[in-house]
Amino acid sequence: MKTTHIYTIILLVLVGLIVYQSLVNQDSFRQAQSLSQSLKVQIDTLQSIAAQYERIHQNYETIHAQLLLSQHRISDMNQDLTRISDEQQQDVIQIRDSLRQVLRTYDAVSPNMMSHHQIPSP
């Protein structure tokens, strides 16, 4: 009978170990599930952030391209403005020179009239 009791005790200890291991494994499984769920939420958040970053990056690229185009347009406008300003200055100089010539001719034709016409330089 002693051997039966020993086998029973060993069997009870084994059953106790199995139950204990089952409980420990169950708790570990719950922790793993919780961690897995937390990681899924973090991955979803990171994917959302990555999508937002991609949209922002695309907007930046578009704005940068528009800025470069605007810069070229402003440079072209500045060149046009400089060219037109130079042309107008030359026109003003030609008009001034023509008026001086007209005044010289007028002074030569009418020597009796006192004429001291002065046309200032631009």
Side-chain angles (χ1 to χ4, degrees):
M1 196 123 127
K2 278 188 172 189
T3 38
T4 309
H5 289 297
I6 292 176
Y7 288 130
T8 304
I9 291 175
I10 292 175
L11 187 60
L12 286 175
V13 168
L14 286 175
V15 169
L17 284 173
I18 290 172
V19 169
Y20 173 76
Q21 190 65 32
S22 172
L23 291 175
V24 169
N25 284 342
Q26 212 173 33
D27 187 48
S28 295
F29 181 72
R30 280 191 215 118
Q31 287 177 351
Q33 279 182 323
S34 175
L35 180 60
S36 174
Q37 186 64 27
S38 174
L39 288 174
K40 285 179 185 178
V41 168
Q42 289 178 0
I43 288 171
D44 289 344
T45 301
L46 288 174
Q47 287 174 337
S48 174
I49 290 170
Q52 289 175 355
Y53 171 80
E54 187 60 34
R55 283 191 301 275
I56 290 170
H57 182 71
Q58 288 173 352
N59 290 341
Y60 168 79
E61 290 292 327
T62 301
I63 290 170
H64 186 259
Q66 291 173 348
L67 180 62
L68 288 177
L69 183 60
S70 295
Q71 185 179 18
H72 289 297
R73 286 180 181 165
I74 289 171
S75 177
D76 291 344
M77 290 171 62
N78 188 33
Q79 289 174 357
D80 289 345
L81 178 65
T82 301
R83 180 184 49 78
I84 291 169
S85 178
D86 290 345
E87 289 172 357
Q88 287 179 345
Q89 187 173 6
Q90 289 302 317
D91 289 344
V92 168
I93 290 170
Q94 286 177 354
I95 292 169
R96 184 195 66 203
D97 291 344
S98 295
L99 285 174
R100 282 185 179 159
Q101 183 64 33
V102 168
L103 288 174
R104 275 191 221 110
T105 304
Y106 179 76
D107 287 343
V109 171
S110 337
N112 295 337
M113 299 178 83
M114 289 188 78
S115 175
H116 299 290
H117 297 102
Q118 294 290 326
I119 299 178
S121 299

